[in-house]
Amino acid sequence: MDNILSTQDLSRDFISGRDTVHALKNINVRFRPQKLTILRGRSGSGKTTLINLLGALDIPTSGKVFLEGDELSGAPQNQRDAIRCKKMGFVFQSVALISLMSAYENVEFGLRIADYDPKNRKDRAEEVLGLVGLTKRMHHRPGELSGGEQQRVAIARAMAHRPQIVFADEPTAELDSHTGLQVVWLFKKLIEKEGLTIIMTTHDPSMMEVADHVYTLEDGEIIDER
Ligand SMILES: Nc1ncnc2c1ncn2[C@@H]1O[C@H](COP(=O)(O)OP(=O)(O)O)[C@@H](O)[C@H]1O
Ligand SMILES: [Mg+2]
């Protein structure tokens, strides 16, 4: 299997009033398993729209998304939801942890929602919090953690249920550049240790060195690939 995820002439239009916004125009991208791919581009270039389509959170206007060779975009909603819950994880710019729960409880709660084997939830939550370097802080609540630590809890929660692909939409946008780079290096470590495939968006040029693959978007089109 060469690509874990790919698109074919993927387009997404948004109709607002009388105007149609062509947010994505005939996008053809491929993602290799166990790699870190960055989608870069200015605000409004279509990064979030693409992530939402790849993650089956949205339906294309035309074109297709393939997951391991099967068309994801054409599957019925309940099947898309099931695939998303089992095979995908998501990290967002604003961390969205539950403030009354400790780091451990946030991750354990995520495992519960993902219907992860109850017998193994505790061990798995502790294991992933260890992987993101938070063993000593796992009983702290989000408010007692730094921004970077909170994002690491969110990453642990996104990957605890052993998804194949983790999508991270501007996960470093609210962090300083040093802390942001640490998050990207953590992604590389998780790819190595857990066999994840990670697709992240950013508009920070300093992250590009660390990525295996970079697509640059402009006005809904891929203008560069390396
Ligand atoms: N729900 C929506 N309704 C109307 N326009 C939208 C919607 N979502 C995104 N867009 C438009 O699509 C374009 C791409 O947006 P987006 O994918 O959010 O870009 P990025 O994540 O790169 O900042 C923008 O012009 C944006 O205004
Ligand atoms: Mg965006």
Side-chain angles (χ1 to χ4, degrees), residues 27-47:
I27 298 284
N28 292 289
V29 285
R30 294 161 273 111
F31 300 94
R32 303 200 145 248
Q34 301 181 20
K35 299 284 181 201
L36 172 64
T37 303
I38 287 185
L39 307 173
R40 74 188 286 212
R42 274 189 224 104
S43 177
S45 57
K47 304 181 298 295

Side-chain angles (χ1 to χ4, degrees), residues 47-48 169-170 201:
K47 304 181 298 295
T48 296
D169 195 3
E170 307 220 20
T201 71

Side-chain angles (χ1 to χ4, degrees), residues 36 38 181 184-185 188 204-214 226:
L36 172 64
I38 287 185
L181 266 177
V184 182
W185 281 111
K188 294 282 278 197
D204 182 342
S206 67
M207 311 263 157
M208 306 308 149
E209 305 299 309
V210 187
D212 297 301
H213 202 132
V214 180
R226 71 136 190 86

